[in-house]
Amino acid sequence: MSSIFTKIINGEIPCYKIAEDDNFFAFLDINPNAKGHTLCVPKKEIDKLFDLDDSAYIGLMQFAKKIAIALEKTVPCQRIGMAVIGLEVPHAHVHLIPLNEMREMTFKHKVSLTPEEFETLSKEIRANL
Ligand code: 5GP
């Protein structure tokens, strides 16, 4: 069965999309640790990040870097944090999180945004890519 992220990439489940290229896809996390929390995902469905081949791994990091730079331009923050967890969704991904406080990296601190706020934020980030 396809992962929830494959369904998002294929447009079967909606998301607030940030960017995509031939191999990678970025969208806002629906349950963000901080405003702008974004997931960067390889389109090829592989569970664990460190099982990606070198080319996909390096490609994902290069893709995530572009998104992180746009995030930092968009969301007031001290810097962009990056995390790899994967305990919930078995489809490799990196979390990019605009940080002002350490607790924003804990995955216990959450913020809520309205659909309108998600939509506006995704537009603003895309405009800074
Ligand atoms: P992890 O697998 O790294 O532990 O966490 C998966 C992340 O994906 C979580 O931060 C969760 O909020 C996010 N997530 C899970 N399902 C969806 C979804 O359907 N849409 C979006 N945008 N994010 C999701």
Side-chain angles (χ1 to χ4, degrees):
M1 203 180 81
S2 300
S3 77
I4 194 144
F5 290 169
T6 294
K7 289 179 181 162
I8 287 173
I9 291 162
N10 292 339
E12 294 162 35
I13 292 177
C15 73
Y16 299 99
K17 182 172 153 181
I18 302 298
E20 100 174 275
D21 67 13
D22 287 347
N23 299 310
F24 306 105
F25 197 96
F27 55 99
L28 293 176
D29 194 299
I30 206 64
N31 188 20
N33 292 15
K35 192 176 173 188
H37 182 166
T38 297
L39 303 173
C40 299
V41 182
K43 289 185 175 176
K44 188 171 176 189
E45 189 177 323
I46 289 175
D47 178 356
K48 296 178 181 171
L49 182 77
F50 299 122
D51 286 338
L52 296 180
D53 63 34
D54 286 355
S55 155
Y57 178 79
I58 291 163
L60 178 62
M61 292 301 141
Q62 289 170 331
F63 180 78
K65 181 179 174 185
K66 283 185 214 152
I67 307 298
I69 290 167
L71 272 179
E72 195 163 12
K73 281 187 203 159
T74 312
V75 181
C77 62
Q78 293 183 33
R79 59 185 57 231
I80 304 298
M82 187 165 88
V84 175
I85 315 288
L87 289 171
E88 184 184 331
V89 179
H91 182 153
H93 55 281
V94 296
H95 296 255
L96 298 176
I97 305 166
L99 296 178
N100 288 296
E101 304 173 66
M102 183 61 94
R103 65 178 179 158
E104 290 162 331
M105 285 301 278
T106 63
F107 292 82
K108 288 179 181 159
H109 176 267
K110 296 289 176 181
V111 296
S112 59
L113 300 177
T114 64
E116 293 73 27
E117 287 170 328
F118 272 116
E119 191 61 53
T120 302
L121 181 60
S122 64
K123 271 189 200 146
E124 288 170 352
I125 299 164
R126 288 198 299 273
N128 280 326
L129 279 167

